[in-house]
């Protein structure tokens, strides 16, 4: 399955971001390289890394050794919040480690501890985008009020906000707040906060002859929420990608949404 065949979210600048990505947190060294390469071999075309993960070099090597064209793999990396004033230097180090001229998405990893630092940091991301060092820019772990502060100060909306998300964390209002602002919601740790033995998930999984984990991933995709499961186990990497042959009914989606509304 090529990038063009996968469901995507449309970011500003006509940038297409695959709704299913591969998370690489805690996947370092040879194991990190092997996992990223296995993901690309399986069909993933979206890899999520960060300066703080210490694995950009391995992710970049996996992209090169996959034999895929650079433009066929969507790469996200993230800027640590303590790099205020060193944003460009940090990005250049990321590009060098990844072995690329440009990343597809660059995020502020967490809001800086000093609230006054968020806007200057955001302006540096916008400048990097305008210089084509990155195709799109966004944030991670930001609250809606913090996103609004960036928008009000620069009239530029983050393309993405990457936050912890799963059925049990489903928040209809927060989902709507992102949509209303044109910010793509991207969820991480989809399984960590999910009870995969929940009767709702097991019932829906049985109806589609899939696993509860696959139901969780499909729920994100059917909501047009980007999701980045992570694993270093080849079988699980493959299973997590095998979610394009079924979709959930409106009733099933409502039942899963309700897990976060109790």
């Amino acid at each position: 399955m090529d990038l063009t065949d996968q469901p995507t979210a449309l970011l500003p600048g006509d940038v297409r971001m695959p709704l299913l990505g591969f998370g690489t947190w805690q996947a370092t060294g040879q194991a990190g390289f092997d996992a990223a390469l296995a993901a690309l071999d399986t069909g993933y075309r979206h890899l999520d890394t960060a300066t703080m993960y210490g694995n950009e070099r391995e992710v970049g090597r996996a992209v090169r050794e996959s034999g895929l064209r650079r433009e066929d793999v969507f790469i996200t990396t993230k800027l640590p919040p303590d790099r205020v004033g060193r944003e460009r230097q940090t990005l250049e180090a990321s590009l060098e480690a990844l072995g690329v001229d440009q990343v597809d998405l660059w995020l502020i990893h967490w809001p800086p501890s000093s609230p006054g630092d968020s806007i200057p940091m955001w302006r540096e991301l916008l400048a990097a985008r305008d210089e084509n060092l990155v195709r799109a820019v966004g944030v991670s772990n930001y609250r809606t009020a913090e996103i609004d502060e960036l928008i009000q100060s620069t009239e530029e909306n983050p393309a993405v906000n990457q936050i912890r998300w799963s059925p049990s964390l489903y928040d209809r209002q927060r989902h709507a707040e992102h949509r209303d602002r044109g910010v793509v919601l991207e969820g991480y740790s989809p399984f960590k906060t999910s009870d995969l033995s929940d009767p709702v998930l097991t019932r829906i999984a049985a109806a589609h002859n899939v696993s509860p984990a696959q139901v969780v991933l499909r729920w994100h995709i059917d909501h047009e929420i980007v999701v980045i499961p992570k694993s270093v186990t080849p079988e699980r990497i493959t299973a997590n990608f095998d979610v394009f042959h079924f979709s959930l009914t409106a009733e099933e989606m409502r039942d899963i949404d309700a897990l976060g509304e109790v």
Side-chain angles (χ1 to χ4, degrees), residues 132-244:
N132 291 320
L133 294 172
V134 302
R135 295 174 70 213
V137 288
V139 294
S140 182
N141 300 298
Y142 269 59
R143 292 178 291 115
T144 302
E146 292 167 328
I147 290 173
D148 285 344
E149 186 184 13
L150 300 183
I151 296 170
Q152 286 156 12
S153 299
T154 63
E155 297 185 355
E156 291 265 16
N157 299 30
V160 172
N161 185 25
Q162 185 184 118
I163 58 176
R164 220 161 140 96
W165 198 257
S166 70
S168 63
L169 297 177
Y170 184 67
D171 181 333
R172 188 179 305 277
Q173 182 181 341
R174 197 163 190 209
H175 189 194
E177 287 167 353
H178 283 77
R179 208 167 38 235
D180 293 346
R181 288 158 179 76
V183 178
V184 169
L185 179 56
E186 178 178 13
Y188 69 83
S189 297
F191 306 135
K192 196 170 245 183
T193 53
S194 293
D195 176 6
L196 295 178
S197 64
D198 186 282
V200 171
L201 295 178
T202 56
R203 168 175 58 78
I204 294 170
H208 293 278
N209 196 28
V210 297
S211 70
Q214 288 168 317
V215 168
V216 167
L217 297 177
R218 188 70 222 191
W219 170 81
H220 284 77
I221 292 167
D222 286 346
H223 264 313
E224 297 186 336
I225 292 170
V226 180
V227 62
I228 46 171
K230 68 182 186 68
S231 178
V232 294
T233 310
E235 297 76 19
R236 198 162 294 153
I237 289 170
T238 301
N240 288 343
F241 187 75
D242 187 20
V243 292
F244 296 111

Side-chain angles (χ1 to χ4, degrees), residues 61-86:
R61 184 158 69 94
V63 173
R64 288 191 299 280
E65 296 199 13
S66 70
L68 295 165
R69 297 181 306 167
R70 167 67 189 94
E71 59 265 32
D72 290 336
V73 183
F74 187 100
I75 301 174
T76 300
T77 194
K78 308 183 201 75
L79 172 71
D82 61 358
R83 299 293 176 94
V84 179
R86 293 179 291 150

Side-chain angles (χ1 to χ4, degrees), residues 88-99:
R88 180 58 56 92
Q89 175 188 340
T90 305
L91 176 59
E92 286 170 356
S94 287
L95 295 172
E96 190 275 326
L98 287 160

